[in-house]
Amino acid sequence: MQILQVDEVEPVEVVPGIIRRRLPATERARGWMYDFAPGTEWPEVDVHEGEERYYVVSGEFIDRGHRLGPGSYVVFAPGSTHRPRTETGARMIGISILVM
C-alpha cells in the first residue's frame, strides 16, 4: 500500500498552462493528476493503447463535445482518442490501464 498527498507530488509542466503529477504506478496501471489553467487544451490528440479513466476534481473540461464538471467520471476504451480542453481551468485525476 502507498499513501501520499497528491499536491506534494513533484509537478511537471507538460506545456505552458498544463501541469502533471505522476502518481504511484504498478505493472498494470499508472495514476496521474493534471491541472489545466484557464483556456488551455491538451497539445495533441491523445490516443489510448489501453483503457483510460479520469475524474474531474474541480473546474470544467470540454471533451469530445461534453462539458464535464466536478464529479464527472469518464472512461475511454482502448483505441479511443480525445483532446480535453478547458475555458475555466480544471483539475482531473486519472488512471491509465496498461496493455499487458
Side-chain angles (χ1 to χ4, degrees), residues 32 53-58 61 70-74 91-94:
W32 38 266
R53 299 163 177 246
Y54 73 80
Y55 176 81
V56 180
V57 176
S58 62
F61 285 99
S72 297
Y73 182 67
V74 183
R91 172 177 273 191
M92 68 168 66
I93 190 165

Side-chain angles (χ1 to χ4, degrees), residues 16-94:
I18 300 178
I19 303 295
R20 174 182 56 230
R21 289 176 170 85
R22 289 188 191 268
L23 304 179
T26 67
E27 63 184 33
R28 295 184 180 191
R30 68 176 177 250
W32 38 266
M33 185 170 70
Y34 286 102
D35 289 301
F36 283 53
T40 56
E41 180 174 32
W42 192 250
E44 71 272 334
V45 174
D46 186 23
V47 179
H48 306 132
E49 288 185 34
E51 186 176 293
E52 180 177 288
R53 299 163 177 246
Y54 73 80
Y55 176 81
V56 180
V57 176
S58 62
E60 179 185 75
F61 285 99
I62 302 166
D63 205 343
R64 294 178 69 178
H66 299 275
R67 289 190 175 268
L68 307 165
S72 297
Y73 182 67
V74 183
V75 178
F76 289 100
S80 62
T81 63
H82 70 130
R83 190 172 183 192
R85 64 184 179 91
T86 181
E87 296 169 349
T88 63
R91 172 177 273 191
M92 68 168 66
I93 190 165

